[in-house]
Amino acid sequence: MLKALEQLGGAPASWEDHGRTLVIQGTGGKLRASAQEIYLGNAGTASRFLTTVCLLAMGGATTLTGNARMQERPIGDLVNGLRSAFGAQLEYLGSEGSLPVSVTGAGLRGGKLEIQASTSSQFISSVLLAAPLAQSPVELQLKGHVVSRSYIEMTIQCMRTFGINVETTATGYLVPVGSYTNPDKVEIEGDASSASYALTMAAVTGGTVSVTNVGSDSCQGDAQYFRVLEQMGCTVSQTPTTTTVTRDPSQPLKGVTVDMEPLTDTFLTAAVAAAVAEGNSTFTGIANQRVKECNRLQAMITELAKCGVNVKELPDGIEVEGRPASWLTACCQATHPQIDCYKDHRVAMSFGVLGVAVPSVSITDGQCVDKTYPDFWEVLTQELQVELEPVGITADSSLSDNTVIVIGMRGAGKTSMSRTASDSAKLEWLDMDVVFEGDIGTSIKTLVAVTGWNCFRELEASCLARHINQSAQPKIISCGGGIVESESGRAVLQAAKDRGAHVVWLRRPLDQITEYLSADESRPSIGEISQAYERREPLYQAASTQVFDNDGSKSAELGFAKRVQQLLARSSTESTPESGEREEPNSSTPTDLQPENKSSSSGDHMSSLATLRNELERARAAIGAQPYQSLYFQPGNMPVQPLGGFEYGLPPARLQIPFPHHRRPLARPY
C-alpha cells in the first residue's frame, strides 16, 4: 500500500526509531496517475481501496494488477457501482469482474451510489474513505445482506478520528464533502485477528495467554473472538486494553455453533480449536471466505482432513467434527501431513496453532505470514516456547527412480501380483492398506466409519507420500483402489512420476472385480462397483505410466513380475522417461521366471512407528531448507509448568508441549 501511494504521488512515508515508527506526510488528497502499473500481489484490501482512490489521481489512467489469485478475486460490485453512479471510467484488462483494471482519474462527482454489500465490506470502505474528496456529498446505499459490518463501522470511526463525520441512514451512509485533518494523537490498536492465534493456543493446550493493546475498547469486530473461546469452555476476561484466555487442562473444549459473520477472519482459528473439541462445531456466516486469498472453506476441509478431522461444507460455512488430540496426534505421527497454505497467511497461522497441540505437522510456505504477521514464527518459539524446526519438504529426485507404484481397483490383484514381483526380484514391498492400518492403529473400515471418506483419502495420500520418500531402496508399492479419487492422492502420484517412478495401472475385467468384491466384507463399501469403476477408469489412465492387463491367471501374475524387473532394470541403465510416457504391454507369459517359495507378511515390510519417524527425521535433516519456508512441529521433551503447560501422552511416546503461565504478555505485534 505504501509503495502504491508513492507511485500515485501521495503520502510519502519514512520509517524512524529503527523501523518502529512510520511517518506519513499528507498531500491533501492531491494525487497523480501512475505511468507504471501498480502491482498489489494478493492484497485484497489495498486493491479494493485503491480502485476508488485512483479516480482522484488526475492526469491519465492508472492500472491496478495483482498475482494470479488476485486476478480471480471479485471487484465487479465496486466497479459497477462507481461506473453507474459517478460515470467513472474503469476498464477491465483481463477477466470481467477482476483485476487488472485501468482507472482513469477524473475525480468523484458525488451523488447517490448503490453497491452490493454481500461480497466484501472492503467495497463499502473503499467508497467511504474517498467520498469526502468528491465534488458533492455521497449517499451510499447498500444492497443485499451486508457482510462484515464491523469493518465498515471501524472505517467510519477512523474517518471520525480524522475529522469526517459519516451519517448512518436507513439504507446506508451519507458522507459530507470535507478534508481530513490530523488529530493531535492517534492510538493504533493491535491487530485483533493476529491476537486470535495466541489466545487460541491457550485454548488448545490448556494454559493462559494475555495479549495487550486489544481489549474491550477495541473497535475491531475480531476483538470479540475471545467470546467464541468462552463458549468452548475457556475462562476469559478483558480490560480496556488487554484480553486474557485460560483453559483448565482437565476440562476439554466443547463443540459450539457460532455465526462468525461479524468476525470472519478468525473462523480458521476457531476451526482448528474445534478440531480438538468434544463434539461437532458449526461456523456460519462465512460464505465470502471462498473469495479471499484462497477458498478458505475448501482449504480447511482439505487440510484438516490430512490431520484426521472430517469437515463438512455448508452453504455459508463449515461443520467440524471434533476429535481427541490423541486421535489427531496418532494420525499425524503416522502420516506427517504437509499442510498446503495456498499462499494464505491465515491458513498458515491457524495450522501453526494446531501444530502446538498436535505435533508432527509440517507447514509449507511458512513465509506467507509476512503479509500481516512477519514475526509469527518467532513469537511461537521465543515468547511461547514452542519447539519447531525449519525443514525441507521436497524430497531428492533420486528417491523414486527405482520405485514401482501399482494402482487399480480393489480386486484387480494388486496385492498378490505385487507380492510375486517382490519375491521374484527381491524388492521391498509395501502394501499401503496394511502399512496404513499399522501406522494409524485401526482398520480402514473403522477409520472411514469414524471420519468419512474425505478425511481417509487425505490421510491415505499423506501416508503414501511419506513412504515413497522413505528410502532410496528399490521397492514396489501397491496402493488402495481409491488413491486416485482425491486431488491429494493424484498429486502424490504425479509428483512421483515427475521424479521417475513407474506408476502401473493393473487392469482387470469388471466381472472378475465384481465377483471378488462381492465376497469381501473386510473393507468399507465403495458403492455400486460398476459406477466406481466408471468414475475411476479415466483417473487411473491419467495417473499411470504403464498399463498391465490381469486376466487372473498364473501366467499373468508371472508376466507382471517380469514387467516390474524390466522397469527397474531400465531405471538403472536409462535416463528417466518424460512424465506421462506410457506403454501398454500385454500379459505375456515369461519362459524362465518362477517365484521363490517363501511367504511374505506385512511385518516383513514395516518398521515400528518410532523407527519410521526417526528415519524420516534423518531424511529431513539431510535435505535442509530455507528458514521458515517450511516448518515442522516437533514432539519434544520439555518442562511443563502447572496449568500453564500442556501435557498429552500417547503410548509409548510421551508428548510434552510447554505453555507459559503469565510469563509475560505478548509484546509483538500488538
Side-chain angles (χ1 to χ4, degrees):
M1 177 67 92
L2 290 175
K3 183 178 180 181
L5 292 173
E6 181 180 348
Q7 285 185 244
L8 294 170
S14 60
W15 292 94
E16 298 180 356
D17 300 332
H18 304 287
R20 299 185 63 181
T21 301
L22 177 63
V23 179
I24 299 177
Q25 181 65 47
T27 60
K30 297 177 181 178
L31 305 173
R32 64 175 184 271
S34 173
Q36 302 294 322
E37 71 175 18
I38 297 177
Y39 179 77
L40 299 165
N42 198 12
T45 303
S47 300
R48 278 73 179 264
F49 284 12
L50 289 171
T51 297
T52 308
V53 166
C54 283
L55 292 173
L56 304 171
M58 312 302 286
T62 299
T63 297
L64 300 175
T65 190
N67 65 11
R69 175 59 181 173
M70 196 64 237
Q71 294 184 32
E72 297 173 348
R73 298 175 66 181
I75 201 170
D77 290 341
L78 175 59
V79 170
N80 292 340
L82 294 172
R83 282 174 171 174
S84 60
F86 301 151
Q89 298 181 44
L90 298 101
E91 179 185 357
Y92 294 117
L93 303 180
S95 300
E96 187 80 10
S98 301
L99 296 186
V101 63
S102 173
V103 184
T104 299
L108 294 174
R109 69 187 185 196
K112 183 183 297 185
L113 185 153
E114 293 185 354
I115 190 168
Q116 287 291 330
S118 58
T119 301
S120 175
S121 63
Q122 293 171 353
F123 299 160
I124 291 86
S125 292
S126 175
V127 176
L128 287 171
L129 289 168
L133 302 180
Q135 299 167 14
S136 62
V138 173
E139 181 182 354
L140 187 58
Q141 294 189 345
L142 309 184
K143 298 296 183 180
H145 174 69
V146 182
V147 298
S148 304
R149 188 181 289 272
S150 62
Y151 291 95
I152 301 174
E153 297 301 324
M154 186 164 57
T155 302
I156 293 172
Q157 182 173 326
C158 178
M159 294 172 67
R160 186 182 304 118
T161 300
F162 285 85
I164 300 295
N165 293 308
V166 178
E167 178 184 343
T168 300
T169 68
T171 58
Y173 305 99
L174 180 63
V175 186
V177 174
S179 298
Y180 287 113
T181 57
N182 287 332
D184 293 333
K185 183 180 180 181
V186 179
E187 292 289 343
I188 304 297
E189 296 179 19
D191 180 15
S193 302
S194 295
S196 72
Y197 306 115
L199 296 175
T200 305
M201 288 180 199
V204 300
T205 63
T208 296
V209 163
S210 293
V211 296
T212 58
N213 209 13
V214 176
S216 57
D217 285 351
S218 174
C219 65
Q220 302 173 70
D222 286 357
Q224 295 301 306
Y225 171 75
F226 77 111
R227 293 298 182 192
V228 177
L229 299 179
E230 183 179 38
Q231 292 182 51
M232 299 183 82
C234 296
T235 301
V236 302
S237 62
Q238 272 191 331
T239 71
T241 58
T242 66
T243 302
T244 300
V245 170
T246 298
R247 180 175 73 84
D248 183 339
S250 67
Q251 300 298 317
L253 292 174
K254 300 176 295 185
V256 294
T257 297
V258 183
D259 180 1
M260 299 292 291
E261 193 274 327
L263 51 162
T264 53
D265 277 349
T266 60
F267 99 87
L268 301 90
T269 330
V272 298
V276 295
E278 286 187 347
N280 294 359
S281 296
T282 301
F283 303 107
T284 57
I286 50 176
N288 67 329
Q289 295 294 297
R290 293 186 175 96
V291 292
K292 293 294 184 175
E293 282 83 344
C294 67
N295 182 337
R296 287 176 172 168
L297 273 64
Q298 187 58 53
M300 297 308 288
I301 292 169
T302 300
E303 303 310 312
L304 280 174
K306 293 178 181 179
C307 302
V309 181
N310 191 40
V311 182
K312 299 177 182 177
E313 185 169 5
L314 307 175
D316 69 336
I318 57 173
E319 180 182 357
V320 181
E321 297 181 6
R323 299 291 174 205
S326 57
W327 170 274
L328 303 189
T329 300
C331 290
C332 292
Q333 283 192 315
T335 63
H336 286 266
Q338 296 178 6
I339 303 302
D340 187 348
C341 299
Y342 308 92
K343 295 182 172 58
D344 190 325
H345 53 134
R346 302 214 182 278
V347 174
M349 291 185 283
S350 295
F351 278 90
V353 173
L354 185 65
V356 173
V358 182
S360 303
V361 172
S362 296
I363 295 179
T364 65
D365 191 26
Q367 290 176 327
C368 67
V369 302
D370 289 352
K371 181 174 182 180
T372 55
Y373 198 165
D375 291 339
F376 179 75
W377 304 116
E378 284 80 2
V379 169
L380 258 63
T381 57
Q382 297 173 18
E383 302 288 342
L384 302 177
Q385 300 178 352
V386 174
E387 185 175 350
L388 53 80
E389 64 176 83
V391 298
I393 295 297
T394 303
D396 183 82
S397 61
S398 65
L399 290 179
S400 60
D401 285 346
N402 50 11
T403 297
V404 175
I405 302 172
V406 185
I407 62 175
M409 289 287 290
R410 188 195 313 166
K414 299 188 301 292
T415 298
S416 60
M417 298 186 78
S418 296
R419 180 189 296 117
T420 298
S422 169
D423 291 345
S424 299
K426 296 182 174 58
L427 295 172
E428 178 186 12
W429 167 47
L430 298 177
D431 183 332
M432 286 310 302
D433 283 349
V434 175
V435 170
F436 181 84
E437 290 182 336
D439 283 359
I440 293 292
T442 189
S443 69
I444 292 174
K445 189 172 185 178
T446 299
L447 184 69
V448 171
V450 172
T451 67
W453 279 108
N454 179 62
C455 185
F456 164 69
R457 292 297 179 209
E458 295 298 332
L459 290 170
E460 176 187 42
S462 293
C463 189
L464 175 61
R466 176 172 169 238
H467 284 280
I468 288 175
N469 301 334
Q470 196 75 55
S471 73
Q473 295 301 313
K475 56 183 172 287
I476 182 168
I477 301 175
S478 51
C479 297
I483 188 66
V484 296
E485 293 267 22
S486 70
E487 183 176 344
S488 298
R490 295 192 296 271
V492 171
L493 294 173
Q494 183 60 52
K497 288 197 302 182
D498 291 344
R499 291 159 48 209
H502 309 281
V503 180
V504 181
W505 173 20
L506 195 57
R507 191 166 54 186
R508 191 173 187 179
L510 180 58
D511 59 340
Q512 294 183 19
I513 291 175
T514 302
E515 181 180 358
Y516 173 84
L517 293 183
S518 298
D520 182 12
E521 298 181 356
S522 64
R523 296 296 169 85
S525 172
I526 60 173
E528 176 59 40
I529 297 172
S530 61
Q531 293 178 1
Y533 186 85
E534 182 179 357
R535 182 176 68 249
R536 293 177 180 179
E537 185 175 22
L539 302 177
Y540 290 138
Q541 182 79 15
S544 59
T545 58
Q546 301 273 328
V547 178
F548 191 93
D549 288 307
N550 176 22
D551 61 7
S553 66
K554 185 65 176 179
S555 62
E557 185 173 318
L558 298 177
F560 178 75
K562 185 174 183 178
R563 171 53 58 181
V564 169
Q565 286 186 322
Q566 291 171 346
L567 292 175
L568 296 180
R570 180 193 304 173
S571 294
S572 64
T573 58
E574 298 181 5
S575 60
T576 300
E578 293 291 330
S579 175
E581 176 186 338
R582 302 181 53 81
E583 294 184 24
E584 296 264 356
N586 294 319
S587 304
S588 56
T589 304
T591 58
D592 57 352
L593 184 63
Q594 296 293 333
E596 293 180 21
N597 183 20
K598 72 173 186 177
S599 61
S600 175
S601 68
S602 60
D604 294 332
H605 308 289
M606 295 173 53
S607 302
S608 68
L609 181 58
T611 301
L612 291 175
R613 187 164 63 246
N614 291 336
E615 291 174 356
L616 187 60
E617 293 311 317
R618 285 196 295 271
R620 284 194 169 99
I623 293 168
Q626 306 245 339
Y628 302 120
Q629 181 64 30
S630 303
L631 300 114
Y632 174 61
F633 284 79
Q634 183 84 277
N637 295 312
M638 301 177 288
V640 176
Q641 303 171 18
L643 182 61
F646 170 67
E647 181 174 325
Y648 210 100
L650 181 69
R654 189 73 175 172
L655 307 179
Q656 297 181 318
I657 307 300
F659 213 79
H661 177 57
H662 285 305
R663 190 168 68 85
R664 62 171 174 165
L666 295 183
R668 300 194 305 271
Y670 314 111

